[in-house]
Amino acid sequence: MTDIIPSPNIWETPDVYEVENLGVDRAHAIESAMRSIADWAGRDVVDIGCGTGFHLPLFASTARSVVGVEPHPPLAALARERISGMPQCSVLEDGAASIGVPDGSFDVAHARWSYFFGPGSEPGLAELARVVRPGGTAFVIDNDATRSTFGSWFRRALPHYDARAVERFWERHGWQRERLDIRWDFDSREDFEAVVAIEFSPDDADLILAEHPDATGVDYAVNLWWRHY
């Protein structure tokens, strides 16, 4: 799987990334929006780029079956530990562009901050079209870099990132969007600083922390992209 794009934040510090997962969207706005579009209760779900499997128990609580797909072996091992004792769950060490399942295996696909960032993800989108059943739904959750405090950090850290081009990409491929306002909140300043440090370069992280000396969280905007098949 030489085409896999590394994710330094979770690959190098899965323990801190766990803290980040716990602090993202504590009000469950993303989950609620997804359920309103396509509930996964009693259905077969795939979580692409599942990392340590953080979201697998959520889906497994009501889904018929859940498959996590994760190309990085250490993360896949952690995901398997997480779902131990959940017979309806499994984890595959595969990439998003080549999932080892038959055609039409899933009713719902979920990809959150994996590598679905518009141009370049066409092989992954083709694989979604293969593995999602007719009548099924795919979800991609991505940063909305055009707004929010976190979005302003994202734009400054990645000045060449063209958010409008990414939006046009999804629209051109027939995806619809829900703009969601969520929060990025942590239990302590220490946790906040640790998570900022894995998401941004040292210089950008220092600037963010200096600008927000007492913060333990900020407003955050995401795009929930979705498509029925």
mmCIF file of all heavy atoms in Angstrom, residues 186-209:
data_model
loop_
_atom_site.group_PDB
_atom_site.id
_atom_site.type_symbol
_atom_site.label_atom_id
_atom_site.label_comp_id
_atom_site.label_asym_id
_atom_site.label_seq_id
_atom_site.Cartn_x
_atom_site.Cartn_y
_atom_site.Cartn_z
ATOM 1 N N PHE A 186 -11.843 20.683 25.363
ATOM 2 C CA PHE A 186 -11.045 19.725 26.114
ATOM 3 C C PHE A 186 -11.181 19.981 27.606
ATOM 4 O O PHE A 186 -11.578 21.064 28.042
ATOM 5 C CB PHE A 186 -9.592 19.781 25.642
ATOM 6 C CG PHE A 186 -9.484 19.539 24.159
ATOM 7 C CD1 PHE A 186 -9.397 20.604 23.272
ATOM 8 C CD2 PHE A 186 -9.563 18.262 23.653
ATOM 9 C CE1 PHE A 186 -9.352 20.397 21.917
ATOM 10 C CE2 PHE A 186 -9.532 18.032 22.294
ATOM 11 C CZ PHE A 186 -9.427 19.096 21.414
ATOM 12 N N ASP A 187 -10.838 18.965 28.386
ATOM 13 C CA ASP A 187 -11.055 19.037 29.823
ATOM 14 C C ASP A 187 -10.044 19.911 30.549
ATOM 15 O O ASP A 187 -10.278 20.297 31.693
ATOM 16 C CB ASP A 187 -11.027 17.626 30.417
ATOM 17 C CG ASP A 187 -12.209 16.779 29.980
ATOM 18 O OD1 ASP A 187 -13.263 17.361 29.634
ATOM 19 O OD2 ASP A 187 -12.082 15.539 29.977
ATOM 20 N N SER A 188 -8.933 20.204 29.906
ATOM 21 C CA SER A 188 -7.896 20.984 30.567
ATOM 22 C C SER A 188 -7.084 21.752 29.538
ATOM 23 O O SER A 188 -7.085 21.423 28.342
ATOM 24 C CB SER A 188 -6.960 20.068 31.365
ATOM 25 O OG SER A 188 -6.193 19.253 30.478
ATOM 26 N N ARG A 189 -6.389 22.763 29.995
ATOM 27 C CA ARG A 189 -5.465 23.505 29.141
ATOM 28 C C ARG A 189 -4.358 22.570 28.640
ATOM 29 O O ARG A 189 -3.921 22.670 27.488
ATOM 30 C CB ARG A 189 -4.860 24.680 29.919
ATOM 31 C CG ARG A 189 -3.813 25.477 29.155
ATOM 32 C CD ARG A 189 -4.384 26.255 27.993
ATOM 33 N NE ARG A 189 -3.353 27.042 27.313
ATOM 34 C CZ ARG A 189 -3.594 27.876 26.318
ATOM 35 N NH1 ARG A 189 -4.835 28.038 25.874
ATOM 36 N NH2 ARG A 189 -2.606 28.558 25.762
ATOM 37 N N GLU A 190 -3.909 21.673 29.475
ATOM 38 C CA GLU A 190 -2.857 20.741 29.077
ATOM 39 C C GLU A 190 -3.301 19.907 27.873
ATOM 40 O O GLU A 190 -2.533 19.709 26.918
ATOM 41 C CB GLU A 190 -2.504 19.826 30.248
ATOM 42 C CG GLU A 190 -1.413 18.818 29.950
ATOM 43 C CD GLU A 190 -1.114 17.908 31.122
ATOM 44 O OE1 GLU A 190 -1.897 17.894 32.092
ATOM 45 O OE2 GLU A 190 -0.087 17.200 31.064
ATOM 46 N N ASP A 191 -4.531 19.416 27.915
ATOM 47 C CA ASP A 191 -5.044 18.644 26.781
ATOM 48 C C ASP A 191 -5.141 19.514 25.538
ATOM 49 O O ASP A 191 -4.790 19.072 24.425
ATOM 50 C CB ASP A 191 -6.423 18.065 27.110
ATOM 51 C CG ASP A 191 -6.370 16.894 28.070
ATOM 52 O OD1 ASP A 191 -5.260 16.373 28.324
ATOM 53 O OD2 ASP A 191 -7.437 16.494 28.574
ATOM 54 N N PHE A 192 -5.635 20.721 25.686
ATOM 55 C CA PHE A 192 -5.758 21.640 24.558
ATOM 56 C C PHE A 192 -4.396 21.868 23.900
ATOM 57 O O PHE A 192 -4.250 21.772 22.675
ATOM 58 C CB PHE A 192 -6.354 22.960 25.054
ATOM 59 C CG PHE A 192 -6.504 24.021 24.004
ATOM 60 C CD1 PHE A 192 -7.534 23.985 23.082
ATOM 61 C CD2 PHE A 192 -5.617 25.091 23.948
ATOM 62 C CE1 PHE A 192 -7.687 24.978 22.118
ATOM 63 C CE2 PHE A 192 -5.758 26.097 23.005
ATOM 64 C CZ PHE A 192 -6.796 26.037 22.079
ATOM 65 N N GLU A 193 -3.381 22.143 24.707
ATOM 66 C CA GLU A 193 -2.040 22.390 24.172
ATOM 67 C C GLU A 193 -1.485 21.159 23.473
ATOM 68 O O GLU A 193 -0.842 21.268 22.411
ATOM 69 C CB GLU A 193 -1.116 22.834 25.303
ATOM 70 C CG GLU A 193 -1.461 24.208 25.868
ATOM 71 C CD GLU A 193 -0.539 24.622 26.994
ATOM 72 O OE1 GLU A 193 0.339 23.820 27.382
ATOM 73 O OE2 GLU A 193 -0.701 25.755 27.504
ATOM 74 N N ALA A 194 -1.726 19.986 24.041
ATOM 75 C CA ALA A 194 -1.210 18.757 23.436
ATOM 76 C C ALA A 194 -1.837 18.506 22.074
ATOM 77 O O ALA A 194 -1.149 18.099 21.122
ATOM 78 C CB ALA A 194 -1.465 17.571 24.364
ATOM 79 N N VAL A 195 -3.134 18.754 21.963
ATOM 80 C CA VAL A 195 -3.817 18.508 20.695
ATOM 81 C C VAL A 195 -3.410 19.543 19.647
ATOM 82 O O VAL A 195 -3.178 19.205 18.477
ATOM 83 C CB VAL A 195 -5.339 18.473 20.909
ATOM 84 C CG1 VAL A 195 -6.053 18.388 19.580
ATOM 85 C CG2 VAL A 195 -5.729 17.291 21.785
ATOM 86 N N VAL A 196 -3.313 20.799 20.044
ATOM 87 C CA VAL A 196 -2.827 21.828 19.109
ATOM 88 C C VAL A 196 -1.456 21.433 18.572
ATOM 89 O O VAL A 196 -1.167 21.581 17.378
ATOM 90 C CB VAL A 196 -2.781 23.210 19.787
ATOM 91 C CG1 VAL A 196 -2.001 24.209 18.943
ATOM 92 C CG2 VAL A 196 -4.192 23.733 20.031
ATOM 93 N N ALA A 197 -0.617 20.873 19.428
ATOM 94 C CA ALA A 197 0.754 20.529 19.039
ATOM 95 C C ALA A 197 0.827 19.402 18.020
ATOM 96 O O ALA A 197 1.797 19.324 17.256
ATOM 97 C CB ALA A 197 1.568 20.160 20.276
ATOM 98 N N ILE A 198 -0.182 18.505 17.983
ATOM 99 C CA ILE A 198 -0.129 17.430 16.980
ATOM 100 C C ILE A 198 -0.819 17.830 15.683
ATOM 101 O O ILE A 198 -0.654 17.161 14.662
ATOM 102 C CB ILE A 198 -0.723 16.109 17.498
ATOM 103 C CG1 ILE A 198 -2.238 16.186 17.683
ATOM 104 C CG2 ILE A 198 -0.010 15.653 18.753
ATOM 105 C CD1 ILE A 198 -2.905 14.835 17.878
ATOM 106 N N GLU A 199 -1.580 18.921 15.705
ATOM 107 C CA GLU A 199 -2.307 19.342 14.504
ATOM 108 C C GLU A 199 -1.590 20.427 13.715
ATOM 109 O O GLU A 199 -1.910 20.644 12.545
ATOM 110 C CB GLU A 199 -3.712 19.820 14.884
ATOM 111 C CG GLU A 199 -4.638 18.717 15.351
ATOM 112 C CD GLU A 199 -4.939 17.693 14.270
ATOM 113 O OE1 GLU A 199 -4.658 17.962 13.083
ATOM 114 O OE2 GLU A 199 -5.453 16.615 14.604
ATOM 115 N N PHE A 200 -0.636 21.109 14.344
ATOM 116 C CA PHE A 200 0.024 22.239 13.689
ATOM 117 C C PHE A 200 1.531 22.171 13.899
ATOM 118 O O PHE A 200 2.017 21.520 14.832
ATOM 119 C CB PHE A 200 -0.532 23.563 14.227
ATOM 120 C CG PHE A 200 -2.001 23.751 13.948
ATOM 121 C CD1 PHE A 200 -2.957 23.378 14.871
ATOM 122 C CD2 PHE A 200 -2.415 24.276 12.728
ATOM 123 C CE1 PHE A 200 -4.313 23.531 14.602
ATOM 124 C CE2 PHE A 200 -3.765 24.432 12.446
ATOM 125 C CZ PHE A 200 -4.719 24.060 13.380
ATOM 126 N N SER A 201 2.259 22.843 13.025
ATOM 127 C CA SER A 201 3.705 22.920 13.176
ATOM 128 C C SER A 201 4.042 23.624 14.491
ATOM 129 O O SER A 201 3.201 24.358 15.049
ATOM 130 C CB SER A 201 4.309 23.710 12.016
ATOM 131 O OG SER A 201 3.974 25.090 12.136
ATOM 132 N N PRO A 202 5.253 23.456 14.994
ATOM 133 C CA PRO A 202 5.612 24.127 16.250
ATOM 134 C C PRO A 202 5.409 25.639 16.205
ATOM 135 O O PRO A 202 4.901 26.228 17.174
ATOM 136 C CB PRO A 202 7.084 23.759 16.435
ATOM 137 C CG PRO A 202 7.213 22.432 15.765
ATOM 138 C CD PRO A 202 6.313 22.510 14.563
ATOM 139 N N ASP A 203 5.772 26.278 15.107
ATOM 140 C CA ASP A 203 5.603 27.733 15.020
ATOM 141 C C ASP A 203 4.133 28.119 15.026
ATOM 142 O O ASP A 203 3.729 29.067 15.722
ATOM 143 C CB ASP A 203 6.266 28.271 13.747
ATOM 144 C CG ASP A 203 7.785 28.269 13.834
ATOM 145 O OD1 ASP A 203 8.319 28.120 14.959
ATOM 146 O OD2 ASP A 203 8.428 28.414 12.775
ATOM 147 N N ASP A 204 3.320 27.403 14.249
ATOM 148 C CA ASP A 204 1.885 27.710 14.228
ATOM 149 C C ASP A 204 1.238 27.407 15.570
ATOM 150 O O ASP A 204 0.372 28.149 16.036
ATOM 151 C CB ASP A 204 1.193 26.922 13.118
ATOM 152 C CG ASP A 204 1.472 27.483 11.734
ATOM 153 O OD1 ASP A 204 1.441 28.718 11.580
ATOM 154 O OD2 ASP A 204 1.725 26.695 10.807
ATOM 155 N N ALA A 205 1.637 26.302 16.194
ATOM 156 C CA ALA A 205 1.074 25.961 17.502
ATOM 157 C C ALA A 205 1.416 27.021 18.539
ATOM 158 O O ALA A 205 0.547 27.429 19.340
ATOM 159 C CB ALA A 205 1.587 24.594 17.945
ATOM 160 N N ASP A 206 2.654 27.497 18.541
ATOM 161 C CA ASP A 206 3.040 28.540 19.488
ATOM 162 C C ASP A 206 2.214 29.800 19.288
ATOM 163 O O ASP A 206 1.782 30.444 20.256
ATOM 164 C CB ASP A 206 4.528 28.874 19.334
ATOM 165 C CG ASP A 206 5.437 27.780 19.871
ATOM 166 O OD1 ASP A 206 4.944 26.900 20.604
ATOM 167 O OD2 ASP A 206 6.641 27.812 19.549
ATOM 168 N N LEU A 207 1.974 30.159 18.038
ATOM 169 C CA LEU A 207 1.184 31.346 17.744
ATOM 170 C C LEU A 207 -0.254 31.178 18.195
ATOM 171 O O LEU A 207 -0.841 32.083 18.809
ATOM 172 C CB LEU A 207 1.241 31.634 16.236
ATOM 173 C CG LEU A 207 0.624 32.943 15.747
ATOM 174 C CD1 LEU A 207 1.251 34.138 16.458
ATOM 175 C CD2 LEU A 207 0.812 33.063 14.236
ATOM 176 N N ILE A 208 -0.840 30.022 17.925
ATOM 177 C CA ILE A 208 -2.219 29.754 18.352
ATOM 178 C C ILE A 208 -2.340 29.851 19.868
ATOM 179 O O ILE A 208 -3.255 30.494 20.399
ATOM 180 C CB ILE A 208 -2.649 28.358 17.862
ATOM 181 C CG1 ILE A 208 -2.876 28.370 16.350
ATOM 182 C CG2 ILE A 208 -3.905 27.885 18.592
ATOM 183 C CD1 ILE A 208 -2.994 26.991 15.738
ATOM 184 N N LEU A 209 -1.427 29.228 20.574
ATOM 185 C CA LEU A 209 -1.509 29.212 22.034
ATOM 186 C C LEU A 209 -1.277 30.599 22.616
ATOM 187 O O LEU A 209 -1.890 30.966 23.626
ATOM 188 C CB LEU A 209 -0.511 28.200 22.593
ATOM 189 C CG LEU A 209 -0.789 26.745 22.194
ATOM 190 C CD1 LEU A 209 0.330 25.834 22.681
ATOM 191 C CD2 LEU A 209 -2.132 26.276 22.736
#
